[in-house]
Amino acid sequence: MVEPRKTRIAVLVSGGGTNLQALIDAQGKVITDGEIVLVIANNSKAYALERAANAGIDSAVVLKKELGSQEAFENAIIAKLEEYEIDFMILAGFMTILSERFTSRYEERIINVHPSMIPKFCGEGFYGLKVHEAVLAAGEKMTGATVHFVNEIPDGGAIIMQKEVAVEPGDTPETLQRRVMEQAEWIILPEAAQRLSEKFRKERA
Ligand code: GAR
């Protein structure tokens, strides 16, 4: 029997793209049943676009400001996902909220990495460094990261994987962010990507 093709993944980004890099580096190692075939950015200056180009991965820039509305913005994303026959997508530092119309179209086909132990420090307003600032302000001893499915509730979809990370004395939001990335995000995101890649590949067999 011919093996079904690898699962086709799109990664949606807004900024530096260190999680995208972790996914690229995991291809052929942790991620054996999927391949990243498209990177979509909502910011033309995102360094993640350079990471995609360096890895020979196609990318697209979709700007809400230019497109005029959330609906037009999401339609432009949908058109790209269809053009590249994407099976599932990964939000890796994608700093915009997607509508219910979009998330329900791709039920259990969108995953996100969030830099805290959901249900702590999540939901609207908790993104990037703000999460780590809040963790430090609350005097937490432990934090971590979560990979979860995306639904209409910000950071509210079912949890796929979590990993805890210690807060150290003297941490700044920046040092804590880096430790959470190194010890949690860059590990669990590729593992979750492989889990889904394997599931979709098996479904095609
Ligand atoms: C990551 O820490 C990611 O978990 C966080 O933004 C950073 C993006 O970094 N995402 C959120 O806060 C989403 N709510 P990266 O561009 O270097 O991957």
Side-chain angles (χ1 to χ4, degrees):
M1 199 187 83
V2 185
E3 244 201 316
R5 66 157 172 79
K6 283 190 179 179
T7 297
R8 295 171 67 79
I9 306 168
V11 184
L12 278 62
V13 295
S14 300
T18 64
N19 278 288
L20 169 65
Q21 192 65 52
L23 291 163
I24 291 170
D25 295 345
Q27 292 197 111
K29 300 182 185 107
V30 173
I31 305 174
T32 50
D33 289 302
E35 55 183 336
I36 302 163
V37 295
L38 177 66
V39 170
I40 299 177
N42 69 338
N43 165 13
S44 56
K45 294 193 181 80
Y47 184 67
L49 290 167
E50 277 187 48
R51 296 183 190 272
N54 291 340
I57 300 169
D58 286 1
S59 62
V61 176
V62 180
L63 302 174
K64 185 151 58 179
K65 234 175 154 180
E66 267 179 15
L67 291 157
S69 68
Q70 182 72 16
E71 196 177 350
F73 170 70
E74 290 177 353
N75 285 346
I77 296 175
I78 293 168
K80 278 287 164 192
L81 297 173
E82 290 184 349
E83 181 187 337
Y84 280 79
E85 297 178 4
I86 298 301
D87 295 303
F88 79 96
M89 69 196 100
I90 301 174
L91 310 187
F94 190 58
M95 300 303 190
T96 186
I97 289 177
L98 295 161
S99 74
E100 183 169 5
R101 169 181 163 267
F102 186 92
T103 58
S104 61
R105 181 184 176 113
Y106 296 104
E107 207 183 336
E108 301 211 332
R109 286 180 182 268
I110 316 173
I111 66 172
N112 178 48
V113 62
H114 181 78
S116 77
M117 294 293 285
I118 291 174
K120 286 188 155 182
F121 306 102
C122 66
E124 252 178 288
F126 284 105
Y127 57 87
L129 276 177
K130 286 182 192 285
V131 177
H132 305 291
E133 283 164 11
V135 167
L136 291 175
E140 297 283 312
K141 295 272 175 293
M142 296 298 291
T143 183
T146 304
V147 177
H148 62 92
F149 284 114
V150 174
N151 65 10
E152 71 284 2
I153 304 157
D155 300 324
I159 291 171
I160 302 168
M161 291 184 82
Q162 288 189 302
K163 193 165 185 283
E164 278 195 307
V165 175
V167 178
E168 302 287 357
D171 260 339
T172 63
E174 289 79 9
T175 60
L176 185 56
Q177 179 183 53
R178 184 76 190 179
R179 188 174 319 107
V180 169
M181 285 175 157
E182 284 175 355
Q183 295 184 8
E185 296 184 48
W186 300 343
I187 299 164
I188 62 175
L189 187 59
E191 284 178 10
Q194 166 56 18
R195 253 194 229 180
L196 258 88
S197 296
E198 187 183 12
K199 172 182 170 282
F200 288 124
R201 195 176 196 184
K202 279 194 177 142
E203 279 175 12
R204 279 192 303 277

